[in-house]
Amino acid sequence: MTLHTPPPSNSREMPPLQVAFHRTELAVILSLYGRMVAAGEWRDYGISCLREVAVFSVFRRTAENPLYRIEKRPKLRGRQGMYAVIGMDGQILRRGHDLKTVLRVLERKLIRAVE
C-alpha cells in the first residue's frame, strides 16, 4: 500500500479562487459598522468575495444601492494600497495600505456638532 502525498503547495502556481476579508479585517470593519448602526446611519450590509476583489457594501435601507463599498484588491498592494472606500457615485473617497486609516473617512460621519 502506497501513500500518495499531494505536492507542496506553491502560491505562485495557483492563485486563490477568490479574494476574501481576513478575520482581523472583518473585526475592524464590523466595529465601525456597529457604531454606525447605533448612530442610525447604516442598516444593512453585504459581502462579496470575487476573483480579484472582496467587497463589503453598506446600505441605509436593504433594497437600495450601497452608500459605501469597502474594497480589498490584493493586486494593488504594491501601488496605491489594496484597501479603498468608494462612495455611492463610484468616487474613491480614500485608498491606502492600512485598513484602519482608510476607514477614517467614514468615521467622520460619527462626529456631530454638540448643541
Side-chain angles (χ1 to χ4, degrees), residues 51-110:
R51 183 173 290 277
E52 297 198 8
V53 62
V55 182
F56 187 97
S57 301
V58 176
F59 301 89
R60 187 177 309 260
R61 289 178 203 85
T62 305
E64 67 178 23
N65 293 329
L67 287 173
Y68 302 103
R69 292 188 331 258
I70 301 163
E71 293 189 354
K72 174 184 177 181
R73 291 183 183 268
K75 283 190 175 181
L76 297 178
R77 181 180 301 140
R79 297 181 201 139
Q80 306 107 327
M82 70 174 157
Y83 301 108
V85 174
I86 301 170
M88 182 185 278
D89 57 356
Q91 180 181 9
I92 297 173
L93 303 177
R94 190 106 185 237
R95 182 182 293 282
H97 299 282
D98 181 57
L99 181 59
K100 287 182 183 180
T101 305
V102 171
L103 291 179
R104 283 187 196 151
V105 71
L106 298 176
E107 289 182 2
R108 290 186 200 147
K109 306 278 184 193
L110 284 172

Side-chain angles (χ1 to χ4, degrees), residues 4-14:
H4 187 71
T5 59
S9 64
N10 185 351
S11 61
R12 291 183 183 166
E13 288 177 15
M14 293 184 55

